[in-house]
Amino acid sequence: MDINKLASTLHPLERKILPFLTSQTTAAELSKKTGMQDVEVLRALQWLQAKKIVSLEESSSEIIDLGENGKRYLKEKLPERRFLEAISGLSSVEEISAKAKISKEEATACIGLLKRKNAITLTNNKIDITDVGREILKSEFPEESLLKSLPVDISRLTEQQKKVLSELQKRKEIIQKKQVKNIIVKPSEIVRHLSKIEIKQYIDSITPSILKDKSWKGKEFRRYDISQKPPRNYPARIHPLTEVMEMVREIFSEMGFQEMEGPWVETSFWCLDSMWIPQDHPAREIQDTFYLPDKGKLPDKKIVEKVIACHEYGGKTGSKGYGYKWNPEVARQLLLRTHTTATTFRYFGEKNIKPPAKYFYIGRIFRNEAVDATHLAEFHQVEGFVIDDGLTLRHLMGVIRDFYAKMGIYKIRFKPTYNPYTEPSMEALYYDEKRKKWIELINSGIFRPEALEPFGIKKPVIAWGLGLERLAMILHEKNNLRDIVGAGVDFDYIKRHKAVVRKD
Ligand code: PHE
């Protein structure tokens, strides 16, 4: 763009700043010189930067300022000056301190200081002022000059001043340090060209009064360069994981599912026993599960007795059960739930679910696992089940396909797997075109009669559970869970990420 055209696009705020851009400066200095508000300067600088008239750099510097005592001493004089002034005629520390209105503590400090300056002598508890002392009283102490010059940027101090500063810093609350952010403004070559041309005072915008009194006649308006990209603003954003969570909630709600709610701290009963996981199952080991020191309550006796029957000999299901003696103490052990299926079974036992019914749940779960790119010790599971006459594996496949299709995941394959509480059990995988491999999506199955019998459920129940963080990782095309959750997540990514959108 030619320079005259560029000049005609300058906003009044930009024009106000321009004359002060003869050399490198800072935003703070510009506010001082132009009398503009800080926000006005910042806005104008961003516009100037977008037009490549200046470049901006952020830096932070250390400022020293007066502390509480520093402020007081500046008003009442430094205690060492008051002490020195009070000596005339007096010689005992107590008398001098009283006259100078100085505490015992301050007096001790003053004596040390003044002795080091050779301003006093102390013999047999008697204080005397020296010639040096009388001399320095006549002029300003270096400490006083420094305090008067505050606040100041540490980097601007001379070697001498730095020594004085370090002495003052040893004393109580005379000095305080502050970090301040600076925006360094570097004018570009264009500034030189702009300064050579006369920049007209354009009318900046049409207002009703300009239209009414026709004061626009014969004048020119400021040009708007609409090819210019404005500085980007990043307002508050929802965390990518929360976004995916809300999307999943929306999808299941639309599909007619009701949402469940359950506790993080569970009894082993609801997390494991209720769904026919045997008490010697490897998943119960300490290395897989976070156990808590306390025990919880078992539910209604009628339910417990049927669970015992299923575990020990299969109850009325026709199954043989596990053939061991069920221990209620093991079931009472509290833990951090390892799957949200604990809540599904609480619903079976506590909520009197009337088929047909569809429920989902998004909840936090905990597994005693080493954290790596694809495993977390604490994450969210998306759980769901449908209970109705005639449900089969086909229906389960259908629900899973429908669910993922809404997020644009179509290439899905199923394979058999094992869960103690479902039969058959089925895993779904999807083909990742980028990574050229099949990746696990979801674990699912049809609950076994041994798991349902204690709750009087006779109709088939299809159910599933998936990791929310892994889903978010897939949708955000990340290879590491820690890029989505946890302390290592890039804040810029949270601020600028492209929101995942539904594909249906
Ligand atoms: N609880 C299973 C898991 O943690 C998920 C699941 C839920 C599987 C319901 C089958 C039925 O992986």
Side-chain angles (χ1 to χ4, degrees):
M1 197 192 305
D2 80 49
I3 204 76
N4 285 304
K5 249 193 189 162
L6 179 63
S8 69
T9 66
L10 294 181
H11 185 272
L13 291 178
E14 293 172 281
R15 269 182 259 139
K16 228 170 168 178
I17 280 182
L18 207 59
F20 301 97
L21 295 179
T22 45
S23 59
Q24 179 169 317
T25 174
T26 65
E29 267 166 18
L30 286 171
S31 321
K32 229 192 248 167
K33 286 184 185 157
T34 55
M36 286 159 65
Q37 290 172 22
D38 292 346
V39 282
E40 291 178 321
V41 170
L42 282 185
R43 214 177 317 143
L45 285 174
Q46 283 181 333
W47 292 330
L48 288 166
Q49 173 170 256
K51 292 171 185 157
K52 302 204 164 53
I53 296 172
V54 299
S55 67
L56 304 178
E57 231 172 67
E58 240 181 72
S59 84
S60 82
S61 55
E62 218 169 14
I63 296 285
I64 47 164
D65 202 354
L66 292 169
E68 279 313 307
N69 285 335
K71 282 183 204 155
R72 191 157 62 83
Y73 293 161
L74 209 53
K75 254 193 259 150
E76 305 169 355
K77 297 189 206 166
L78 280 175
E80 57 266 41
R81 176 178 288 279
R82 301 209 304 272
F83 190 90
L84 210 51
E85 283 175 350
I87 292 179
S88 64
L90 303 174
S91 63
S92 87
V93 178
E94 290 73 24
E95 283 171 326
I96 298 171
S97 311
K99 190 174 163 201
K101 298 204 176 70
I102 279 173
S103 71
K104 211 173 167 188
E105 210 185 2
E106 280 176 319
T108 321
C110 285
I111 292 168
L113 264 161
L114 292 169
K115 264 171 70 184
R116 255 177 281 138
K117 284 183 192 272
N118 294 322
I120 55 166
T121 54
L122 175 67
T123 32
N124 299 332
N125 232 353
K126 279 194 169 27
I127 300 229
D128 221 345
I129 186 162
T130 66
D131 287 343
V132 177
R134 267 185 279 274
E135 204 46 48
I136 62 173
L137 256 185
K138 286 182 197 153
S139 48
E140 202 170 60
F141 293 180
E143 290 84 354
E144 290 166 332
S145 336
L146 184 68
L147 292 182
K148 273 189 194 163
S149 72
L150 300 186
V152 71
D153 191 323
I154 277 195
S155 65
R156 300 209 174 170
L157 296 181
T158 62
E159 281 313 305
Q160 197 54 40
Q161 285 174 317
K162 277 185 193 156
K163 270 190 204 140
V164 176
L165 171 68
S166 81
E167 284 305 314
L168 285 175
Q169 278 176 325
K170 288 182 195 151
R171 298 166 64 181
K172 207 171 144 199
E173 282 169 28
I174 297 187
I175 296 288
Q176 72 183 99
K177 274 191 187 176
K178 289 180 196 163
Q179 285 288 340
V180 287
K181 284 235 155 70
N182 260 332
I183 292 177
I184 296 174
V185 185
K186 292 184 180 159
S188 79
E189 200 46 19
I190 304 174
V191 174
R192 229 165 32 90
H193 298 302
L194 279 173
S195 65
K196 283 193 197 130
I197 63 166
E198 190 205 335
I199 300 178
K200 289 191 213 139
Q201 291 299 311
Y202 298 99
I203 289 184
D204 191 47
S205 52
I206 303 172
T207 62
S209 67
I210 287 177
L211 285 176
K212 237 189 252 163
D213 64 17
K214 302 200 174 159
S215 56
W216 51 270
K217 278 200 162 171
K219 289 190 181 144
E220 273 181 69
F221 284 92
R222 179 164 73 90
R223 277 167 180 272
Y224 287 85
D225 178 6
I226 54 169
S227 69
Q228 220 30 272
K229 284 212 171 79
R232 282 190 82 156
N233 251 325
Y234 294 99
R237 285 289 303 274
I238 293 174
H239 192 285
L241 184 68
T242 311
E243 249 169 33
V244 173
M245 192 188 290
E246 282 173 3
M247 184 175 73
V248 168
R249 180 172 283 126
E250 186 184 271
I251 291 175
F252 277 119
S253 303
E254 280 176 15
M255 289 166 82
F257 283 75
Q258 281 176 275
E259 190 165 359
M260 296 190 275
E261 215 178 52
W264 291 1
V265 172
E266 264 299 2
T267 51
S268 297
F269 181 86
W270 286 118
C271 198
L272 303 153
D273 295 89
S274 66
M275 61 195 78
W276 208 56
I277 297 176
Q279 293 194 327
D280 61 356
H281 193 276
R284 297 208 188 207
E285 296 289 317
I286 302 243
Q287 57 266 31
D288 294 308
T289 302
F290 292 115
Y291 284 100
L292 296 163
D294 297 328
K295 301 228 167 163
K297 271 198 218 127
L298 293 180
D300 200 290
K301 243 193 176 153
K302 277 184 234 148
I303 292 178
V304 178
E305 271 163 13
K306 285 180 191 157
V307 167
I308 296 176
C310 284
H311 278 244
E312 294 187 350
Y313 58 89
K316 292 180 190 150
T317 61
S319 158
K320 284 194 206 150
Y322 294 113
Y324 71 95
K325 181 107 187 74
W326 190 82
N327 180 352
E329 285 314 298
V330 172
R332 283 182 56 216
Q333 188 61 52
L334 289 177
L335 45 74
L336 295 178
R337 66 176 180 206
T338 52
H339 56 180
T340 41
T341 315
T343 298
T344 293
F345 275 75
R346 258 186 190 277
Y347 270 58
F348 289 167
E350 293 173 353
K351 297 283 165 166
N352 188 24
I353 289 163
K354 292 209 177 64
K358 301 195 271 195
Y359 280 86
F360 82 102
Y361 182 30
I362 308 171
R364 195 178 285 238
I365 62 163
F366 307 84
R367 290 180 186 177
N368 196 352
E369 207 144 22
V371 174
D372 63 25
T374 53
H375 295 87
L376 297 171
E378 188 182 341
F379 59 101
H380 293 83
Q381 208 167 38
V382 181
E383 175 95 8
F385 71 85
V386 184
I387 170 166
D388 199 6
D389 284 315
L391 288 177
T392 65
L393 216 53
R394 277 270 149 221
H395 296 99
L396 182 54
M397 289 178 182
V399 177
I400 291 173
R401 280 196 192 279
D402 276 359
F403 173 71
Y404 285 105
K406 289 174 193 289
M407 291 174 281
I409 299 173
Y410 306 111
K411 200 164 174 184
I412 287 178
R413 187 166 74 108
F414 295 97
K415 74 166 200 198
T417 184
Y418 174 77
N419 295 305
Y421 40 91
T422 51
E423 182 58 39
S425 305
M426 181 173 75
E427 210 169 71
L429 303 98
Y430 88 104
Y431 190 71
D432 189 306
E433 300 289 349
K434 269 212 184 120
R435 283 185 272 178
K436 303 257 171 283
K437 62 177 187 187
W438 290 92
I439 292 173
E440 278 169 38
L441 278 179
I442 189 170
N443 179 12
S444 68
I446 301 179
F447 283 128
R448 297 181 72 105
E450 294 95 324
L452 295 177
E453 209 259 347
F455 310 100
I457 298 174
K458 301 271 184 314
K459 296 184 195 269
V461 185
I462 56 172
W464 55 86
L466 67 108
L468 182 74
E469 282 75 0
R470 285 206 192 172
L471 178 63
M473 181 169 86
I474 293 167
L475 295 174
H476 280 270
E477 298 182 359
K478 298 273 186 195
N479 296 322
N480 194 327
L481 283 171
R482 289 166 296 186
D483 291 339
I484 293 282
V485 274
V489 179
D490 181 7
F491 269 131
D492 273 350
Y493 184 68
I494 298 180
K495 282 198 284 188
R496 294 169 202 203
H497 71 273
K498 212 167 137 198
V500 296
V501 284
R502 288 175 52 174
K503 300 280 159 47
D504 55 341

